[in-house]
């Protein structure tokens, strides 16, 4: 298994509070991704990073921000959590975008009450 | 924008039955194709991938998939399923102009 950890693994928070999820990799892969998984929607890309301090938006980026200050860490922040952000969040890594597979972390289950 | 459709949302099979899960995508150019599996409570794992060459791709655990470019399809098959194949299966597609796009997933339940 690729060396990807996510923290926390489970979190319950209240509407309106900020939340930060962390993804840590030991593979030195250039690309890192944040997805959310919801029933019937598969995985949808929130944000991705192609290097330290280099990030871009994905399909469902509204309400989320990211930061990458080190190669190994990619943070996802919900500035003011809403119930619609209740989901399972997966981090993934890859060496490049095309012709390379993505490796996924164990996921973080976030519940916003 | 590319899209990926998995028409079977839930599939229930008995052990030893044959499996075929459909996957169709919308992009007409060169694509890379993947099938990922998510066992209950676990993260996604790669089953198989197609980048180029032989359109019949063999993956782990006896799975295979066939890329049919004229039909924009990449269906997943297994001749004889086991109870341990119970999982959710995701098709995913990427092309040079877009990021990886997933289908909505197919939940497979195999009854012993």
């Amino acid at each position: 298994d690729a060396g990807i950890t996510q923290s926390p693994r489970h979190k319950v928070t209240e509407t309106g509070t900020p939340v930060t999820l962390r993804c840590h990799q030991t593979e030195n892969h250039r690309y890192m991704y944040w997805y959310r998984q919801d029933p019937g929607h598969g995985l949808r890309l929130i944000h991705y990073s192609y290097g330290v301090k280099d990030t871009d938006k994905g399909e469902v980026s509204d309400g989320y921000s990211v930061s990458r200050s080190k190669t190994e860490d990619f943070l996802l922040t919900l500035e003011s959590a809403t119930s619609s952000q209740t989901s399972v969040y997966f981090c993934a890594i890859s060496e490049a975008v095309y012709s390379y597979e993505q490796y996924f972390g164990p996921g973080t289950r976030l519940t916003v009450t | 924008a590319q899209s990926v459709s998995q028409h079977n949302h839930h599939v229930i099979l008995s052990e030893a039955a044959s499996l075929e899960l459909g996957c169709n995508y919308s992009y007409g150019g060169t694509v890379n194709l993947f099938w990922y599996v998510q066992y209950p409570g676990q993260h996604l794992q790669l089953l198989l991938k197609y980048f180029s060459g032989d359109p019949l791709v063999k993956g782990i655990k006896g799975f295979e998939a066939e890329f049919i470019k004229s039909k924009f399809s990449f269906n997943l098959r297994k001749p004889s399923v086991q109870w341990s194949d119970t999982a959710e299966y995701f098709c995913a597609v990427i092309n040079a102009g877009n990021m990886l796009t997933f289908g909505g997933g197919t939940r497979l339940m195999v009854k012993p």
Side-chain angles (χ1 to χ4, degrees):
Chain A
D1 285 349
I4 309 169
T5 56
Q6 293 184 230
S7 60
R9 295 292 314 279
H10 300 271
K11 186 169 182 67
V12 180
T13 191
E14 292 184 349
T15 298
T17 59
V19 177
T20 296
L21 309 183
R22 180 177 181 247
C23 177
H24 178 79
Q25 62 147 327
T26 59
E27 305 297 322
N28 201 35
H29 284 353
R30 179 182 175 189
Y31 284 81
M32 299 185 75
Y33 312 83
W34 277 108
Y35 293 90
R36 59 177 291 173
Q37 183 184 23
D38 304 290
H41 291 278
L43 277 78
R44 292 179 291 175
L45 183 65
I46 304 171
H47 282 280
Y48 67 98
S49 169
Y50 46 96
V52 173
K53 299 190 189 308
D54 294 322
T55 64
D56 206 348
K57 296 179 180 179
E59 177 188 357
V60 289
S61 60
D62 287 349
Y64 302 94
S65 62
V66 290
S67 65
R68 191 171 179 195
S69 59
K70 297 185 290 185
T71 299
E72 58 266 34
D73 290 326
F74 192 33
L75 303 181
L76 176 71
T77 298
L78 290 65
E79 303 290 348
S80 177
T82 67
S83 59
S84 65
Q85 294 176 312
T86 292
S87 187
V88 180
Y89 291 85
F90 285 97
C91 174
I93 64 173
S94 68
E95 293 184 60
V97 174
Y98 198 61
S99 295
Y100 287 88
E101 66 186 85
Q102 292 185 17
Y103 299 92
F104 286 82
T108 294
R109 183 173 294 277
L110 176 67
T111 301
V112 183
T113 61
Chain B
Q2 66 187 8
S3 64
V4 182
S5 296
Q6 293 181 241
H7 305 295
N8 312 103
H9 299 297
H10 292 89
V11 174
I12 301 174
L13 295 173
S14 297
E15 275 194 318
S18 64
L19 170 72
E20 181 161 2
L21 301 182
C23 173
N24 288 92
Y25 61 94
S26 62
Y27 184 72
T30 302
V31 293
N32 287 353
L33 300 151
F34 305 84
W35 275 98
Y36 282 88
V37 60
Q38 186 178 31
Y39 298 104
Q42 296 189 26
H43 61 283
L44 273 76
Q45 303 169 44
L46 183 70
L47 265 182
L48 49 79
K49 59 190 177 187
Y50 173 80
F51 291 163
S52 64
D54 188 343
L56 185 60
V57 181
K58 296 193 183 298
I60 61 171
K61 304 185 179 184
F63 286 91
E64 65 178 31
E66 185 175 13
F67 170 51
I68 303 179
K69 188 173 182 179
S70 61
K71 295 185 178 180
F72 302 94
S73 71
F74 190 55
N75 292 355
L76 181 71
R77 300 193 292 248
K78 186 172 184 178
S80 176
V81 295
Q82 302 172 320
W83 176 79
S84 58
D85 293 324
T86 293
E88 190 161 15
Y89 293 81
F90 295 94
C91 180
V93 176
I94 189 170
N95 63 61
N98 292 283
M99 304 302 287
L100 190 65
T101 301
F102 285 84
T106 298
R107 286 187 183 273
L108 171 66
M109 177 183 292
V110 180
K111 297 191 290 186

Coordinates of all heavy atoms in Angstrom, one line a residue, chain A residues 1 101, chain B residues 35-37 39 44-49 57-65 76-79 82 85 89:
Chain A
D1 N 0.8 -1.2 0.0 CA 0.0 0.0 0.0 C 0.9 1.3 0.0 O 1.9 1.3 0.6 CB -0.9 0.0 1.2 CG -2.1 -0.9 1.1 OD1 -2.3 -1.5 0.0 OD2 -2.7 -1.2 2.1
E101 N -1.5 5.9 -12.3 CA -2.6 5.7 -11.4 C -2.6 6.5 -10.2 O -1.5 7.0 -9.8 CB -2.7 4.2 -11.0 CG -1.5 3.8 -10.1 CD -1.6 2.3 -9.9 OE1 -1.0 1.6 -10.7 OE2 -2.1 1.9 -8.8
Chain B
W35 N -10.4 0.8 -13.4 CA -11.4 0.3 -12.5 C -10.8 0.2 -11.1 O -9.7 -0.4 -11.0 CB -11.9 -1.1 -12.9 CG -13.0 -1.1 -14.0 CD1 -12.9 -1.3 -15.3 CD2 -14.4 -0.9 -13.7 NE1 -14.1 -1.2 -15.9 CE2 -15.0 -1.0 -15.0 CE3 -15.2 -0.7 -12.6 CZ2 -16.4 -0.9 -15.1 CZ3 -16.5 -0.6 -12.7 CH2 -17.2 -0.7 -14.0
Y36 N -11.5 0.8 -10.2 CA -11.1 0.8 -8.8 C -12.2 0.0 -8.0 O -13.4 0.0 -8.4 CB -11.0 2.2 -8.2 CG -9.8 2.9 -8.6 CD1 -9.7 3.7 -9.7 CD2 -8.6 2.9 -7.7 CE1 -8.6 4.4 -10.0 CE2 -7.5 3.6 -8.0 CZ -7.5 4.4 -9.2 OH -6.4 5.1 -9.5
V37 N -11.8 -0.6 -6.9 CA -12.7 -1.4 -6.0 C -12.6 -0.8 -4.6 O -11.5 -0.4 -4.2 CB -12.4 -2.9 -6.1 CG1 -11.0 -3.2 -5.6 CG2 -13.4 -3.6 -5.3
Y39 N -13.7 -2.2 -1.0 CA -14.3 -3.2 -0.1 C -14.8 -2.5 1.1 O -14.4 -1.4 1.5 CB -13.2 -4.2 0.3 CG -12.7 -5.0 -0.9 CD1 -11.4 -4.7 -1.4 CD2 -13.5 -6.0 -1.5 CE1 -10.9 -5.4 -2.5 CE2 -13.0 -6.7 -2.6 CZ -11.8 -6.4 -3.1 OH -11.3 -7.0 -4.2
L44 N -10.1 3.0 -1.7 CA -10.1 2.5 -3.1 C -8.8 1.9 -3.4 O -7.7 2.4 -3.1 CB -10.4 3.7 -4.1 CG -11.8 4.0 -4.4 CD1 -12.4 4.8 -3.2 CD2 -11.9 4.9 -5.6
Q45 N -8.9 0.8 -4.2 CA -7.7 0.1 -4.7 C -7.9 -0.1 -6.1 O -9.0 -0.4 -6.6 CB -7.6 -1.3 -4.0 CG -7.5 -1.3 -2.5 CD -7.7 -2.6 -1.9 OE1 -7.1 -3.6 -2.4 NE2 -8.5 -2.8 -0.9
L46 N -6.8 -0.1 -6.9 CA -6.8 -0.3 -8.3 C -7.0 -1.7 -8.7 O -6.3 -2.6 -8.2 CB -5.5 0.2 -8.9 CG -5.4 0.2 -10.4 CD1 -6.4 1.2 -11.0 CD2 -4.0 0.4 -10.9
L47 N -8.0 -2.0 -9.5 CA -8.2 -3.4 -10.0 C -7.4 -3.6 -11.3 O -6.8 -4.6 -11.5 CB -9.7 -3.6 -10.3 CG -10.6 -4.2 -9.3 CD1 -12.0 -4.4 -9.9 CD2 -10.1 -5.6 -8.8
L48 N -7.6 -2.6 -12.2 CA -6.9 -2.7 -13.5 C -6.9 -1.4 -14.2 O -7.6 -0.5 -13.8 CB -7.5 -3.8 -14.4 CG -9.0 -3.8 -14.6 CD1 -9.4 -2.8 -15.6 CD2 -9.5 -5.2 -15.0
K49 N -6.0 -1.3 -15.2 CA -5.9 0.0 -15.9 C -5.6 -0.3 -17.4 O -5.0 -1.3 -17.7 CB -4.8 0.9 -15.3 CG -3.5 0.2 -15.3 CD -2.5 1.0 -14.5 CE -1.1 0.3 -14.5 NZ -0.1 0.9 -13.6
V57 N -7.7 -6.2 -20.9 CA -6.8 -5.9 -19.8 C -7.1 -6.9 -18.7 O -8.2 -7.0 -18.3 CB -6.9 -4.5 -19.3 CG1 -5.9 -4.2 -18.2 CG2 -6.6 -3.5 -20.5
K58 N -6.1 -7.5 -18.1 CA -6.3 -8.4 -17.0 C -5.8 -7.7 -15.7 O -4.7 -7.0 -15.7 CB -5.5 -9.7 -17.2 CG -6.1 -10.5 -18.4 CD -5.6 -11.9 -18.4 CE -6.2 -12.6 -19.6 NZ -7.6 -12.7 -19.6
G59 N -6.5 -7.8 -14.7 CA -6.2 -7.2 -13.4 C -6.0 -8.2 -12.3 O -5.8 -9.4 -12.5
I60 N -6.1 -7.7 -11.1 CA -5.9 -8.6 -9.9 C -7.2 -9.4 -9.6 O -8.3 -9.0 -10.1 CB -5.5 -7.8 -8.7 CG1 -6.6 -6.7 -8.3 CG2 -4.2 -7.0 -8.9 CD1 -6.4 -6.1 -7.0
K61 N -7.1 -10.4 -8.9 CA -8.2 -11.3 -8.4 C -9.1 -11.8 -9.5 O -10.3 -12.0 -9.3 CB -9.0 -10.5 -7.4 CG -8.2 -9.9 -6.2 CD -9.0 -9.3 -5.2 CE -8.1 -8.8 -4.0 NZ -8.8 -8.2 -2.9
G62 N -8.5 -12.0 -10.7 CA -9.3 -12.7 -11.8 C -10.2 -11.7 -12.6 O -10.9 -12.2 -13.4
F63 N -10.1 -10.4 -12.3 CA -10.9 -9.5 -13.1 C -10.2 -9.1 -14.4 O -9.0 -9.1 -14.5 CB -11.1 -8.2 -12.3 CG -12.1 -8.3 -11.2 CD1 -11.6 -8.7 -9.9 CD2 -13.4 -8.1 -11.4 CE1 -12.6 -8.8 -8.9 CE2 -14.3 -8.2 -10.3 CZ -13.9 -8.6 -9.1
E64 N -11.0 -8.8 -15.4 CA -10.5 -8.3 -16.7 C -11.5 -7.3 -17.2 O -12.7 -7.2 -16.8 CB -10.4 -9.4 -17.7 CG -11.7 -10.1 -18.1 CD -11.4 -11.2 -19.1 OE1 -10.4 -11.8 -19.1 OE2 -12.3 -11.4 -20.0
A65 N -11.0 -6.4 -18.1 CA -11.9 -5.4 -18.7 C -11.5 -5.3 -20.2 O -10.4 -5.5 -20.6 CB -11.8 -4.1 -18.0
L76 N -16.2 -4.2 -17.1 CA -15.5 -5.1 -16.2 C -16.1 -6.5 -16.1 O -17.3 -6.6 -16.1 CB -15.4 -4.5 -14.8 CG -14.7 -5.2 -13.7 CD1 -13.2 -5.2 -13.9 CD2 -15.1 -4.7 -12.3
R77 N -15.3 -7.5 -16.2 CA -15.8 -8.9 -16.2 C -15.1 -9.8 -15.2 O -13.9 -9.5 -14.9 CB -15.8 -9.5 -17.6 CG -16.5 -8.7 -18.6 CD -16.7 -9.5 -19.9 NE -15.4 -9.7 -20.6 CZ -15.1 -9.2 -21.7 NH1 -16.0 -8.4 -22.3 NH2 -14.0 -9.5 -22.3
K78 N -15.8 -10.8 -14.7 CA -15.1 -11.8 -14.0 C -16.0 -13.1 -14.2 O -17.2 -13.1 -14.1 CB -15.1 -11.5 -12.5 CG -14.3 -12.6 -11.7 CD -14.0 -12.1 -10.2 CE -13.2 -13.2 -9.5 NZ -12.9 -12.8 -8.1
P79 N -15.3 -14.2 -14.6 CA -16.1 -15.4 -14.9 C -16.9 -16.0 -13.8 O -18.0 -16.6 -14.0 CB -15.0 -16.4 -15.4 CG -13.8 -15.6 -15.6 CD -13.9 -14.4 -14.8
Q82 N -16.9 -14.5 -6.2 CA -16.8 -15.1 -4.9 C -17.4 -14.1 -3.9 O -17.6 -12.9 -4.1 CB -15.4 -15.3 -4.5 CG -14.6 -16.3 -5.4 CD -13.1 -16.3 -5.1 OE1 -12.5 -15.3 -4.8 NE2 -12.6 -17.5 -5.2
D85 N -15.8 -10.8 -3.2 CA -15.9 -9.8 -4.2 C -16.9 -8.7 -3.9 O -17.1 -7.7 -4.6 CB -16.2 -10.4 -5.6 CG -15.0 -11.2 -6.1 OD1 -13.9 -10.9 -5.9 OD2 -15.3 -12.2 -6.8
Y89 N -17.6 -0.9 -7.0 CA -16.7 -0.8 -8.1 C -16.9 0.5 -8.8 O -18.0 0.9 -9.2 CB -16.9 -2.0 -9.0 CG -16.6 -3.3 -8.4 CD1 -17.5 -3.9 -7.6 CD2 -15.4 -3.9 -8.6 CE1 -17.2 -5.1 -6.9 CE2 -15.0 -5.1 -8.0 CZ -15.9 -5.7 -7.2 OH -15.6 -6.9 -6.5

